[in-house]
Amino acid sequence: MNPVSEEIDLSQSFKAYDVRGIVGQSLNAEAVEAIGAAFVDILGLSGDTVLVGGDMRPSSAEFSEAFARGATYRGANVVMLGQISTDELYFASGQLDAAGVVFTASHNPAQYNGIKMSKAGALPISSDTGLFEIRDLAQQYLDEGLPVSGDAPQGSVARRDVLADYSGYLRSLVDLSAIRPLKIVVDAGNGMGGLTTPAVLGDAVLPGLPLDIVPLYFELDGTFPNHPANPLEPENLRDLQAAVLEHGADLGLAFDGDADRCFVIDERGLPLSPSAITALVAVREIARVQAAGEASPVVIHNLITSKAVPEFVTRAGGTPVMTRVGHSFIKAEMATQGAAFGGEHSAHYYFRDFYNADTGMLAAMHVLAALGGQELPLSELGAEYEPYVATGEINSEVQDKAGATARVVAHFEGQPVEIFTMDGTTIAAADGSWWINLRPSNTEPYLRFNGEGASAEVIEPIRDAVLAIVRQEQPTD
């Protein structure tokens, strides 16, 4: 490999939790080959198995092969998994107890690709656990070329399809065989949900379930010809909402590009918040593990999920534990606490029985089981878990994020509020009627606002006042 450091600066694509860059600009095959070599060297994987897969993006197959070249050159035995969702990687990493990577840029546009990495057992790799060391060594390999391997044997390459095992494992965790018949619309957004949905919920791999699936955009196409594979943006749910109404469906599911997140639409075409899904699944998981003899199961939630989540967890006999936003924090806390389940406002759902990793498909199966196990429509079932009114996340472009936050704190001085700074700044009414959180983005000039109140009349004036303070023009020197 020839040095190409003039072309690629890996600091542009290595983020706190994964790798994400523009193909041909901040990420190319030579860089990926160097990353594969560094991955093996930093994690000490020479002689061990390394799993490699990719999503449906045009560059994922090429990048998978390049990573395998670098990894085998440094002595790893690579198992190529082919096209996979991100949670398929986590399954394989946990089931086979092997480190691995999946090439994906999740919900980002077509010109992007990236890498999500896992240690053996589906343990996350972040900037705190080796990601930046991998970056720095890979940059060195780009600058200087890979070291001569000497007499050390190069690793082997094998191929394995894990889709059937993944599907069977998920079905073993949630039994959908006896639910009432449901019609569901699934929008895969041309992402990997187009592969995993027919395998897990349909009859492509296993016997059929009492589900009539109406597919939207199941064709694997990393150019995203229909809409971006980012269900967090309301405009990307419009086709699904229309199809749910058109087909008289019981619910709709939307997956992001790498299918590790799932969003839920009720029979009226209205979304259920990820906090409501977190509460619903938490209650089910608490009941399941209590039936197995566990006294007070722990459920993790980040600090900007609805306060209904810890309330439902406590009511069900569980122990809620709050953590910062971000999958590495959640997964670390899941392991430390031995938690049964964890959920985030962004529709990431984590399961102890899924190696503490996140899987949108398993969360969707819990929703289907809950809906199909009784006769109420999803709108009525879901309303129970959404007693409060949330603002959603609102971004403000602010250069002086700390200054803007300080102005908001000053605004509430002398009022009956509590303030804490676990992740950004949270201000909560002493009577529990509302809370807000301001969190600075680490990578963009944004201050992220989230809030919730007992009613729209309570939270909306607070939202408007805070955003006005955040966005007010400040004098420049």
Side-chain angles (χ1 to χ4, degrees), residues 91-298:
F91 163 75
S93 177
Q95 190 85 348
L96 302 175
D97 197 28
V101 301
V102 56
F103 284 89
T104 180
S106 185
H107 60 276
N108 286 119
Q111 66 268 33
Y112 285 83
N113 209 335
I115 317 171
K116 293 184 178 180
M117 302 181 181
S118 174
K119 295 181 181 178
L123 293 174
I125 299 176
S126 69
S127 57
D128 296 327
T129 55
L131 186 60
F132 285 176
E133 286 81 359
I134 294 169
R135 174 199 66 191
D136 294 343
L137 185 59
Q139 189 69 60
Q140 179 184 328
Y141 289 164
L142 274 176
D143 294 342
E144 302 171 6
L146 289 175
V148 176
S149 60
D151 296 329
Q154 292 196 19
S156 61
V157 175
R159 300 186 184 273
R160 179 168 181 161
D161 187 339
V162 298
L163 184 61
D165 290 342
Y166 159 84
S167 303
Y169 184 69
L170 289 182
R171 286 213 191 171
S172 76
L173 298 178
V174 178
D175 183 8
L176 296 174
S177 60
I179 63 171
R180 64 182 169 96
L182 297 173
K183 178 178 282 190
I184 66 173
V185 182
V186 181
D187 185 345
N190 298 111
M192 292 309 300
L195 179 71
T196 58
T197 298
V200 179
L201 302 181
D203 59 3
V205 172
L206 300 169
L209 295 167
L211 299 172
D212 178 6
I213 300 174
V214 179
L216 276 186
Y217 314 135
F218 273 33
E219 304 78 19
L220 302 183
D221 188 342
T223 67
F224 307 114
N226 294 291
H227 62 71
N230 182 12
L232 196 59
E233 297 296 334
E235 60 266 27
N236 297 329
L237 293 174
R238 287 174 185 157
D239 290 354
L240 175 62
Q241 292 169 308
V244 166
L245 295 175
E246 176 189 347
H247 292 277
D250 294 290
L251 83 165
L253 303 173
F255 291 97
D256 66 348
D258 60 338
D260 62 348
R261 289 187 297 156
C262 182
F263 292 75
V264 180
I265 302 296
D266 71 19
E267 81 286 353
R268 303 168 303 169
L270 300 177
L272 264 71
S273 75
S275 286
I277 302 301
T278 296
L280 183 154
V281 177
V283 169
R284 288 178 51 84
E285 282 290 82
I286 289 167
R288 183 184 62 81
V289 298
Q290 282 179 334
E294 191 171 329
S296 184
V298 171

Side-chain angles (χ1 to χ4, degrees), residues 439-453:
R439 236 171 72 252
S441 168
N442 292 321
T443 56
E444 300 171 295
Y446 290 141
L447 194 58
R448 307 194 192 282
F449 172 90
N450 282 272
E452 181 180 66

Side-chain angles (χ1 to χ4, degrees), residues 311-462:
E311 290 173 356
F312 274 98
V313 169
T314 301
R315 203 175 304 152
T319 302
V321 174
M322 181 187 292
T323 187
R324 295 177 60 183
V325 173
H327 77 93
S328 66
F329 299 114
I330 294 272
K331 289 176 180 176
E333 200 69 18
M334 289 278 294
T336 300
Q337 300 280 349
F341 173 67
E344 292 199 90
H345 71 296
S346 54
H348 284 284
Y349 306 106
Y350 307 80
F351 296 83
R352 179 167 65 195
D353 286 349
F354 200 75
Y355 312 103
N356 291 330
D358 43 323
T359 165
M361 184 63 75
L362 185 52
M365 293 172 74
H366 274 284
V367 174
L368 291 169
L371 179 61
Q374 49 83 70
E375 295 301 322
L376 290 176
L378 185 58
S379 58
E380 293 185 39
L381 177 65
E384 175 187 352
Y385 297 98
E386 290 197 269
Y388 306 114
V389 175
T391 64
E393 189 158 275
I394 303 170
N395 289 324
S396 300
E397 188 165 342
V398 180
Q399 293 303 321
D400 183 7
K401 291 174 274 194
T405 302
R407 294 196 302 274
V408 172
V409 171
H411 171 75
F412 288 100
E413 189 173 347
Q415 298 187 36
V417 298
E418 299 170 352
I419 299 174
F420 63 97
T421 55
M422 172 188 281
D423 190 357
T425 298
T426 298
I427 303 172
D431 65 3
S433 61
W434 59 267
W435 62 265
I436 62 168
N437 174 269
L438 290 169
R439 236 171 72 252
S441 168
N442 292 321
T443 56
E444 300 171 295
Y446 290 141
L447 194 58
R448 307 194 192 282
F449 172 90
N450 282 272
E452 181 180 66
S455 66
E457 291 74 21
V458 167
I459 192 60
E460 287 176 0
I462 296 168

